Amino acid sequence: MLSRHPLLRTTLCVLLLLVVTCGLVFAAFAQIKYRWNWEGFRKNEMLFFQGWLTTLGICAGAMVICLVGGFTLMLGSRAPWEPVRLASKGYIAIVRATPLLVQLLIGYYVVANALKIHDSIVVGMLLLGLFEAAYLAEIFRGALESIGRSQREAASAVGFSTMQTYRYVLVPQAVRRALPGTTGELVSLVKNSSLLSVLGIEEVTQITRLINSRSYTALEGFIPLALAYLAVTLPLSWAARRLERRFAYET
Amino acid sequence: MKLEARGVVKAYGIHRALDGATFQTESDARVVTLLGPSGGGKSTLLRVLGCLLVPEAGQVLMDGTQLPNNEVGALRERRKNGFVFQGYNLFPHLTALENVALPLRAVHGVSAAQAEARAREMLDRLGLIGHEMKHPAELSGGQQQRAAIARALAPKPRLLLLDEPTSALDPVMTGEVLDVIRELAENGQQIVLATHEISFARKVADWVVFLAQGQVQESSTAEDFFTRPQTALAQQYLEGLAKYR
Ligand SMILES: Nc1ncnc2c1ncn2[C@@H]1O[C@H](COP(=O)(O)OP(=O)(O)OP(=O)(O)O)[C@@H](O)[C@H]1O
Ligand SMILES: [Mg+2]
C-alpha cells in the first residue's frame, strides 16, 4: 500500500528519522545525566528571536554580496587585462587558503578600524560575503568553462557578439551547472555566520551563549539554536533542488 | 557567387591546418563542395570562408571583395551567413522555436512576433511541426540537425555553410537531411558544403575544391573533378571511396 503513495511514504520516513534522531539526542543527554532547566531560556525567548532575525538579515545581505562579488571575481579572473586577472586570481587564492576566523579578526580589528568603519554588523556582513564570493567565483568559473567549445562556436556562428554570447548562451547554461555548488556555498554561509559572534555581533549564536550564561544553564540554548539554523538551511536546500529541477532541460 | 582564396594560412599552435590554400571558383558557382581526406583542412577552410576564423596570412575574396581580417568586421560578415556543423550545435537550454527565434531578435533586430512567426514557418518547412516547444535533448539527431538548418536559414543568409552536416547521423536521418539540402540547392541557395558523402556531392555540387595536407590540390567544376581528376591524390581519394559503394 505504501509503495503506491510515494508522498505518504516519504513523510513517514522523515517522521521516523526525526523520532530516532530526537531519541538519540535525548539518550545522549540522559547518559551524561544532564539536568534540564528550560526556565532561563523561556524567559529570553524574545531575545533569541531577535538574534535569529539579525542572523537572517546578515545572511541575506552577505548572500547578495557573495553572488555579485563571486560573479565579478569570475569575470575578473577571465579578463583580457592581465593586472585585473592576476588581482582576481590572487584574491580568490588567498581567501580560500586562510580560515574565515582569521579573516574576520584581521578584517574587523585592523582593516575596518583603519578605514574608520565601526558598524560591526555591516563589516561582518561584508567580510562574510567577500569570503564566500571567492568560493562562488571558482564554482562559476568551473561551470562556465565546462561549456564546450562547440557552444561558443555556435553562438558566434549565429552572429552573437561576445556580450550576447555570455548573456544568451554561456550564463544561462552555466547557471544550471553552478546551481548545486552554489546552494552548498549559501548553506555554508548561513552556518559560517555563527563565527561573527567573535566580533561581538548579537546574532543568534552570540545571543544563545549570552542566554546560557545569564540563566546559569550550560547547553539548553544549543538545541533551539540548531533548530534555528535548520529552519533556514533546510528550506534553502529544498528551494534550490526545486530550482534545479526547473532548469533540468538536458535529460 | 565567386569564391577566391590566395595563400591562406591558418595554424593551430605549430600545426598548419591550412598551408597556403589557393583556389578560385567559377563566377556563378552556387554549390561549392569541399572534399578531401580527414584532417585535410576542410573544416578549417569552411570556417575561414564563413569568417568564424581569421587566417594568419593570405586573403579570401567573395565576389571580388576581400573578407575582413579583424573581429568587428568578421562579426558583421558572420551575420550574413548561416552555419550548420557536424555535431548538434543547437542551444540545449532553448526550445527548438527559441533556437531559431532568438538570433532573429537579438542579432537581426526582428520584432518578437515576427521572429516567432518566421521561426514557425522555418520549422514547418523543415518538417518539425509539433516539435517547436521541445528542447534539443527531446529531438532525434535528424530533427536536431533540421532545426539547426532552420536556425541557419531563418535570417535568409547570403551563404549557407555546412560542415559535414550528416556525419553524426544514421543512414535514414542522413537521407532526410540531404533531401533538405538538395532542395535548398535547387531553389537557388548559395551553399558551401564540406562532406564525405561523395555521391551526394556528385549530385548537387557545381564546383569542387579538393583539399589535402592543408593545400588545395584541385579546384574544378564538379563534372571535371568526378570524371577527370587531375592529381594522383584525388584519384586515390575517389577510388578509395568507390571501393565500398
Ligand atoms: N581546434 C583545433 N586545435 C588544434 N588542431 C586542430 C583544431 N582543429 C583542427 N585541427 C587540426 O587541423 C588539421 C585540419 O583539421 P580540419 O578539421 O580542418 O580537417 P578536416 O578536413 O575537416 O577533417 P575531417 O574530415 O576529419 O573533419 C587537422 O590535422 C586537425 O588535427
Ligand atoms: Mg571537418
Side-chain angles (χ1 to χ4, degrees):
Chain A
M1 174 225 153
L2 278 185
S3 60
R4 266 182 286 126
H5 296 88
L7 193 68
L8 188 66
R9 195 179 50 187
T10 314
T11 316
L12 279 179
C13 282
V14 168
L15 279 178
L16 191 70
L17 272 173
L18 212 66
V19 169
V20 170
T21 313
C22 289
L24 285 174
V25 169
F26 281 92
F29 273 101
Q31 178 66 29
I32 59 172
K33 301 208 167 54
Y34 193 77
R35 294 191 37 194
W36 295 101
N37 173 16
W38 286 102
E39 201 53 35
F41 181 80
R42 225 172 271 138
K43 263 191 254 156
N44 290 294
E45 261 170 7
M46 273 321 285
L47 200 60
F48 181 83
F49 186 63
Q50 274 166 18
W52 189 66
L53 288 183
T54 307
T55 292
L56 283 189
I58 291 176
C59 287
M63 280 179 193
V64 174
I65 293 169
C66 78
L67 288 169
V68 174
F71 193 75
T72 312
L73 280 169
M74 180 273 289
L75 288 181
S77 67
R78 299 168 57 84
W81 205 44
E82 179 139 29
V84 174
R85 208 163 58 231
L86 282 180
S88 309
K89 286 183 174 171
Y91 175 88
I92 293 168
I94 289 172
V95 168
R96 280 161 56 95
T98 50
L100 175 58
L101 186 60
V102 175
Q103 290 171 29
L104 289 177
L105 293 173
I106 294 180
Y108 182 62
Y109 291 109
V110 183
V111 181
N113 242 343
L115 296 172
K116 304 216 177 352
I117 310 174
H118 298 299
D119 187 332
S120 60
I121 290 193
V122 170
V123 176
M125 191 193 294
L126 260 168
L127 289 171
L128 186 60
L130 291 175
F131 171 78
E132 295 294 347
Y135 288 84
L136 283 186
E138 284 295 275
I139 290 174
F140 293 167
R141 189 180 61 84
L144 204 62
E145 284 175 2
S146 73
I147 299 169
R149 205 167 55 91
S150 69
Q151 281 292 305
R152 290 162 199 276
E153 186 167 56
S156 84
V158 299
F160 287 153
S161 63
T162 309
M163 278 296 287
Q164 288 177 322
T165 301
Y166 271 95
R167 176 168 166 208
Y168 295 122
V169 180
L170 300 181
V171 171
Q173 293 186 54
V175 163
R176 176 182 177 271
R177 297 179 192 203
L179 218 47
T182 304
T183 319
E185 278 318 314
L186 294 184
V187 169
S188 290
L189 182 147
V190 173
K191 294 182 292 174
N192 283 340
S193 73
S194 65
L195 277 177
L196 293 177
S197 53
V198 298
L199 306 185
I201 296 174
E202 302 208 314
E203 44 74 56
V204 71
T205 302
Q206 176 73 354
I207 292 287
T208 305
R209 282 204 203 133
L210 194 81
I211 295 173
N212 274 342
S213 67
R214 199 189 268 180
S215 52
Y216 306 106
T217 54
L219 302 171
E220 276 78 355
F222 290 137
I223 288 177
L225 182 60
L227 294 178
Y229 280 111
L230 281 174
V232 185
T233 52
L234 285 185
L236 193 63
S237 309
W238 178 80
R241 208 149 332 121
R242 296 249 332 198
L243 206 60
E244 260 169 60
R245 234 172 287 149
R246 245 194 55 200
F247 273 97
Y249 45 81
E250 293 163 66
T251 40
Chain B
M1 138 194 82
K2 182 182 184 190
L3 281 176
E4 193 178 346
R6 297 181 189 147
V8 173
V9 174
K10 176 70 207 177
Y12 298 106
I14 55 160
H15 176 74
R16 288 186 166 198
L18 288 179
D19 191 8
T22 302
F23 71 90
Q24 187 177 338
T25 68
E26 62 188 351
S27 58
D28 57 351
R30 204 136 62 196
V31 180
V32 175
T33 51
L34 310 182
L35 299 178
S38 192
K42 299 183 295 297
S43 299
T44 310
L45 180 60
L46 194 85
R47 281 163 175 74
V48 169
L49 294 176
C51 287
L52 275 179
L53 286 177
V54 176
E56 273 101 49
Q59 297 161 348
V60 179
L61 294 91
M62 189 165 295
D63 291 326
T65 35
Q66 197 178 329
L67 294 184
N69 49 15
N70 57 59
E71 181 45 38
V72 179
L75 178 63
R76 205 175 325 111
E77 282 302 308
R78 281 203 290 274
R79 291 180 165 176
K80 298 183 202 157
N81 298 334
F83 284 92
V84 178
F85 304 96
Q86 160 180 13
Y88 311 124
N89 54 358
L90 294 171
F91 302 127
H93 59 299
L94 301 178
T95 60
L97 188 71
E98 264 303 282
N99 262 283
V100 182
L102 174 63
L104 289 176
R105 292 198 307 269
V107 175
H108 302 280
V110 179
S111 75
Q114 277 178 319
E116 187 181 327
R118 175 82 180 142
R120 283 188 189 282
E121 178 197 332
M122 291 313 299
L123 291 172
D124 183 357
R125 247 179 74 188
L126 288 151
L128 291 168
I129 294 183
H131 301 290
E132 294 93 341
M133 289 314 184
K134 289 188 180 170
H135 285 87
E138 301 165 300
L139 296 172
S140 76
Q143 289 169 338
Q144 287 187 47
Q145 205 56 308
R146 281 183 283 145
I149 295 174
R151 182 175 70 187
L153 287 176
K156 305 198 172 89
R158 175 189 57 177
L159 179 61
L160 180 66
L161 300 113
L162 303 146
D163 189 5
E164 298 189 36
T166 58
S167 66
L169 304 177
D170 69 32
V172 175
M173 294 181 188
T174 298
E176 283 175 17
V177 171
L178 292 183
D179 284 345
V180 169
I181 297 170
R182 183 169 174 182
E183 199 188 314
L184 289 170
E186 281 163 2
N187 290 332
Q189 173 71 50
Q190 301 195 109
I191 292 175
V192 180
L193 167 72
T195 188
H196 288 292
E197 297 284 341
I198 211 75
S199 50
F200 179 71
R202 201 191 284 256
K203 283 199 193 93
V204 300
D206 301 325
W207 196 268
V208 172
V209 175
F210 179 75
L211 277 159
Q213 292 144 19
Q215 290 177 343
V216 176
Q217 310 291 337
E218 234 173 294
S219 164
S220 60
T221 62
E223 164 135 27
D224 282 347
F225 180 79
F226 289 114
T227 51
R228 294 178 288 277
Q230 300 296 307
T231 58
L233 273 172
Q235 282 160 15
Q236 280 166 20
Y237 176 76
L238 286 174
E239 277 164 23
L241 285 176
K243 219 185 269 174
Y244 295 107
R245 301 231 160 185

